[in-house]
């Protein structure tokens, strides 16, 4: 049974940084591509970043490219999202998802954890 638990969300001011974590269990994490997605309550899921199983190849959505970095520790079965220069538009609930997805519509039906809330406001 796939289990994903996100953590690290907080309320921060514009320009600040946060590091999100996702603890994975119940599947072979080291061989699974992974994705970070986000959702503003009441709106569609939005792809953020994805990374292949070995960690050597990743991609992020244009609006976060250069500000967000996805990484993983396969020995710990953990996924990370380092977020810098946060803006109010980054406020959302962030989820980690097993698999490599670059379209929010693909993420809707995938197993997700409870998510971690990021609020950016002054």
């Amino acid at each position: 049974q796939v289990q994903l638990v996100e953590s690290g969300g907080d309320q921060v001011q514009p320009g600040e940084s946060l590091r999100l974590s996702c603890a994975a269990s119940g599947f072979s994490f080291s061989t699974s591509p992974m994705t970070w997605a986000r959702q503003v309550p009441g709106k569609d899921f939005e792809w953020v970043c994805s990374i292949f199983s070995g960690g050597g190849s990743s991609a992020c959505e244009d609006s976060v490219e250069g500000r967000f970095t996805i990484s993983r520790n396969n020995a710990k079965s953990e996924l990370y999202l380092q977020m810098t220069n946060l803006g109010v538009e980054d406020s959302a609930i962030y989820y980690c998802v097993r698999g490599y997805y670059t379209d929010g519509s693909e993420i809707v039906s995938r197993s997700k954890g409870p998510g971690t809330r990021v609020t950016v406001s002054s």
Side-chain angles (χ1 to χ4, degrees), residues 6 20-22 35-37 47-49 70 79-81 95-96:
E6 304 88 348
L20 306 183
S21 298
C22 170
T35 292
W36 281 103
W47 171 57
V48 178
C49 295
I70 186 172
L79 180 73
Y80 310 106
L81 185 68
Y95 300 88
C96 62

Side-chain angles (χ1 to χ4, degrees), residues 15-18 66-68 82-87 90:
E16 293 188 335
S17 300
L18 276 176
R67 299 189 298 120
F68 290 11
Q82 179 68 48
M83 306 186 294
T84 63
N85 193 23
L86 285 161
D90 297 315

Side-chain angles (χ1 to χ4, degrees), residues 1-4 22-36 49-58 70-75 77-80 96-101 111:
Q1 180 180 352
V2 174
Q3 289 194 322
L4 300 162
C22 170
S25 61
F27 64 100
S28 177
F29 180 82
S30 64
T31 62
S32 297
M34 296 293 295
T35 292
W36 281 103
C49 295
S50 296
I51 188 168
F52 284 105
S53 59
S57 182
S58 63
I70 186 172
S71 62
R72 63 193 296 159
N73 184 324
N74 285 343
S77 294
E78 292 183 349
L79 180 73
Y80 310 106
C96 62
V97 182
R98 180 189 183 191
Y100 196 103
Y101 306 106
S111 294

Side-chain angles (χ1 to χ4, degrees), residues 37 39 43-46 97 101 103-112:
Q39 185 186 35
K43 296 191 176 182
D44 293 335
F45 280 96
E46 179 184 12
V97 182
Y101 306 106
D103 188 330
S105 65
E106 299 177 294
I107 295 168
V108 173
S109 61
R110 305 301 172 183
S111 294
K112 295 175 280 294

